[in-house]
Amino acid sequence: MTPVLDIVFSRWTTPILWTLNRFGRQRFVELNRNVGAITAKVLTQRLRQLERDGLVVRTYHPEVPPRVEYEISELGLSLAPLFAALTDWSEEHLPEVEHARAAFDAADG
């Protein structure tokens, strides 16, 4: 179970895969903008790891200037039900989590 958790739930994996799934094939700059508060260095590292894990496909176009695009792989797409379940869970239970946090913080006060 631990290797799966390391792959799927590392800090930026979910936002990157979610963005590629939602917007389709993207160049690095587009992906960086769409993911949000991630640095270029971290995005590069995560994309390399996701490519290594088979969740992202990197396509190099030998043009002038060179063009590189990233897209979610079939293996990455197979995670969609997992992400959908997490979304459903969060919509149903996040208010309960926020309530529990507020109660804890008030008691800890």
Side-chain angles (χ1 to χ4, degrees):
M1 187 71 166
T2 301
V4 172
L5 294 175
D6 288 342
I7 292 168
V8 177
F9 295 111
S10 65
R11 174 71 170 100
W12 289 103
T13 297
T14 302
I16 291 168
L17 292 176
W18 186 265
T19 301
L20 288 172
N21 185 54
R22 181 173 180 205
F23 296 106
R25 182 181 301 163
Q26 296 177 64
R27 294 178 74 167
F28 184 88
V29 174
E30 296 170 305
L31 184 57
N32 194 359
R33 182 179 41 230
N34 288 328
V35 168
I38 188 170
T39 66
K41 177 183 176 184
V42 172
L43 180 57
T44 298
Q45 292 170 342
R46 292 307 313 144
L47 285 169
R48 285 184 183 152
Q49 185 62 50
L50 291 169
E51 183 181 9
R52 181 175 181 257
D53 292 339
L55 301 174
V56 167
V57 175
R58 178 184 183 268
T59 304
Y60 175 79
H61 301 277
E63 304 168 345
V64 177
R67 180 170 49 105
V68 177
E69 296 177 318
Y70 297 90
E71 62 186 310
I72 193 168
S73 69
E74 288 297 320
L75 183 59
L77 286 172
S78 71
L79 291 169
L82 174 64
F83 293 142
L86 288 171
T87 300
D88 292 344
W89 185 91
S90 67
E91 289 173 356
E92 184 175 340
H93 296 289
L94 201 53
E96 294 173 56
V97 171
E98 291 170 354
H99 178 73
R101 286 177 178 172
F104 181 89
D105 292 348
D108 196 37

